[in-house]
Amino acid sequence: IVDSLIAIGYASAKEKVNILRKELNAMAVRRMPRPEEAQTLYHLRSVPDGIAHSTWYDRAHDIDVLYSKAVQIANEGKHARVEVLLHSDATAEIVMSPSTRVTSINVVGNTLLSNAVLAGLESRWIGTPINEWTQRGISEYLLEDYRKQGFSLAQVDSLYILPDGAIHMWVDEGVVERISVRGNTRTNHVVILREIPVRAGSVFRMADMKRGMENLFALDLFHSVAYDILRNDDQIHLVIRVVERPSKILQTGLLVDNERNAQLGLLLRDANFLGSGTEIAASFFGGHNIREYAVQFSSNRLFYTPFNTRIRAFYGFRDYNGYADVPDLPKHRFARDIALVYRSIDYGAAASFGIYVQRFGHLQAKLRYAQQSIRTDQLRNPDVDPITEEHRLVEWGLSSTVDTQDKYPYPNKGILFEGEYTSALRALGSEIAFTRLTLGYDFYVPVIPDHLVLHPRIRFGYGDKTMPRTEEFRIGGLYSFIGMRENEYNGRQIILGGMELRYALPVRILFDAYLSMRYDLGRTWANPELVKLEDLRHGVGLQLGLDTPIGPADFAVGRSFYFLRANPVTPVKWGPVHLYFTIGARL
């Protein structure tokens, strides 16, 4: 904002230079001393040298007109001095002193301007008469290039003209001598200064300062941030002003859905632990068939580097339903029923090391240690074997995230890209070795801005044959595949795509409301050689979303189907109709 205001003010003042100049000249004429015969008309003895003759010089004029003419000649910038001499015989002379011309220009203190800029300075001004306007023009030309590069504090300290026409200019490029922070009662000043690209001893640049303000806002530690620039004894003092937020926070959340009923979330965190800008947090989330406990330490910056770190210890379990096809249904129908219920238990620790890219992207390296086990709690279909697994997992991975969505939970535009590669290695102590690759891409296209949004998405996942069930891909549920139950299909390979057309309703249903048409397409497979496009499942449905203060409230109805290419009598098989609801969000 500040740099744009400076640019607007500079352009506006530049447009009014000529107007201001004329007003100052008029004031100068009025303030010149008058002889007693102020109304006397004077004849010019001769036309000044170098001035084209006109009838104006043949007529008599009063003192005001003569002085105005002298100012006009002076403003042409060709003479060092222009005077009006009055004689007792009612005659006058306009006397002009020839100007020294510019022979060279030497800029002292420059470290930022290129040789091309300095060459342009000389080619434009060498040989021109030296006067007030020349000096001002040279200074403006020089500073304009500094402004274009964002060095908004650069100024010409002094300008000296030698008798031979050599001009020496001393430039102050705006070096910041001192930086201080005010308003931080808890936050260490190092945490604040490391977010500002400007350093003591460096030249102030507006783009760097703007990025620093954005970095401080992104920390979410302050209500407001601002800065002042003070000049004391020709030294620049940069003052960063902050107003801190409370750092110790207890957050609660509630999520209710048709699959897992009520789930409670609690998060206790200190976002500015010991004023270091690091975060310590303990969290709980769960209900009767899901529990997650975690303790986490995270830092947005590691010292003065752009890297961030996170260390997390966790314990949790989650109950899953395993599904099997229901036999003996009509040829145009299919259904899947719960064959068993199993619990996946996972505890261990994870560490990550990454970097933010322009505050909307993230590159990260990860290391995870986990003890995992699966046990079958209910066996509802005697034809299905129970599942039992137990192993130690040690894996490393790389992930990337790009998120430019303009809002949550119903974006109008933007993209969300998530990619991850992980590898579990026996050399690291893992009891199972495998690799997994996951890619996901969502993008939002405003068909009619603020009213109609198109939301395509795609997911792809690959895992080798040794990947355990605890790490498999799963589809089904409202946000995964409409027309399926949660975890209806799972496997080591996944292909999933979807298309949503969302319309912002013109009337509120207590809250902002959105109506969506959904179409999903996908399937999972146990092994790569089993992947067949003809096995893909399709899902269609309608969804109503409400943007409530506690999170999105979504209600939907959907149905899945698939095609039988080899059966022209019943080419489509339809699954049952499923109803969904979910209210709230996870912390």
Side-chain angles (χ1 to χ4, degrees), residues 247-301:
S247 63
K248 297 180 176 64
I249 302 172
L250 174 63
Q251 294 176 277
T252 61
L254 181 65
L255 175 62
V256 182
D257 61 40
N258 59 288
E259 290 285 353
R260 299 187 180 275
N261 302 318
Q263 300 150 77
L264 176 68
L266 296 173
L267 175 63
L268 177 62
R269 68 187 182 108
D270 185 345
N272 196 4
F273 181 64
L274 299 178
S276 62
T278 58
E279 179 179 299
I280 298 290
S283 63
F284 163 78
F285 179 82
H288 79 280
N289 58 9
I290 178 174
R291 304 281 172 81
E292 296 177 7
Y293 305 87
V295 178
Q296 178 175 293
F297 166 86
S298 59
S299 175
N300 283 324
R301 274 184 180 266

Side-chain angles (χ1 to χ4, degrees), residues 231-258:
R231 285 187 180 269
N232 298 315
D233 299 327
D234 295 328
Q235 292 189 343
I236 296 175
H237 177 197
L238 176 62
V239 181
I240 312 297
R241 301 184 185 276
V242 299
V243 177
E244 294 177 316
R245 294 179 184 271
S247 63
K248 297 180 176 64
I249 302 172
L250 174 63
Q251 294 176 277
T252 61
L254 181 65
L255 175 62
V256 182
D257 61 40
N258 59 288

Side-chain angles (χ1 to χ4, degrees), residues 3-62:
D3 53 343
S4 61
L5 290 176
I6 291 174
I8 292 171
Y10 180 76
S12 177
K14 200 170 182 181
E15 292 175 359
K16 295 179 172 56
V17 164
N18 291 331
I19 298 174
L20 295 172
R21 187 175 292 165
K22 289 179 180 178
E23 292 180 355
L24 290 172
N25 290 340
M27 292 173 61
V29 170
R30 287 195 297 269
R31 290 176 182 174
M32 284 184 178
R34 301 287 195 274
E36 294 181 0
E37 303 85 0
Q39 300 304 317
T40 302
L41 295 179
Y42 292 87
H43 286 274
L44 286 167
R45 290 186 174 183
S46 62
V47 179
D49 293 337
I51 302 295
H53 181 272
S54 70
T55 57
W56 187 89
Y57 293 98
D58 298 331
R59 298 193 300 268
H61 304 284
D62 63 28

Side-chain angles (χ1 to χ4, degrees), residues 77-154:
K78 298 179 180 179
H79 304 87
R81 186 175 181 183
V82 179
E83 296 178 294
V84 177
L85 300 181
L86 303 178
H87 300 285
S88 59
D89 58 353
T91 60
E93 290 180 279
I94 298 178
V95 180
M96 300 176 296
S97 302
S99 293
T100 304
R101 296 186 177 271
V102 179
T103 57
S104 64
I105 301 175
N106 181 34
V107 181
V108 181
N110 162 56
T111 62
L112 301 169
L113 297 179
S114 65
N115 292 331
V117 172
L118 297 177
L121 183 70
E122 293 186 345
S123 64
R124 180 170 180 176
W125 298 103
I126 284 182
T128 60
I130 297 178
N131 51 47
E132 179 185 354
W133 314 119
T134 302
Q135 298 173 49
R136 185 175 301 171
I138 292 174
S139 298
E140 289 178 355
Y141 180 89
L142 197 68
L143 294 180
E144 185 174 2
D145 198 76
Y146 277 107
R147 300 291 185 264
K148 287 179 180 178
Q149 297 185 58
F151 302 110
S152 54
L153 298 186

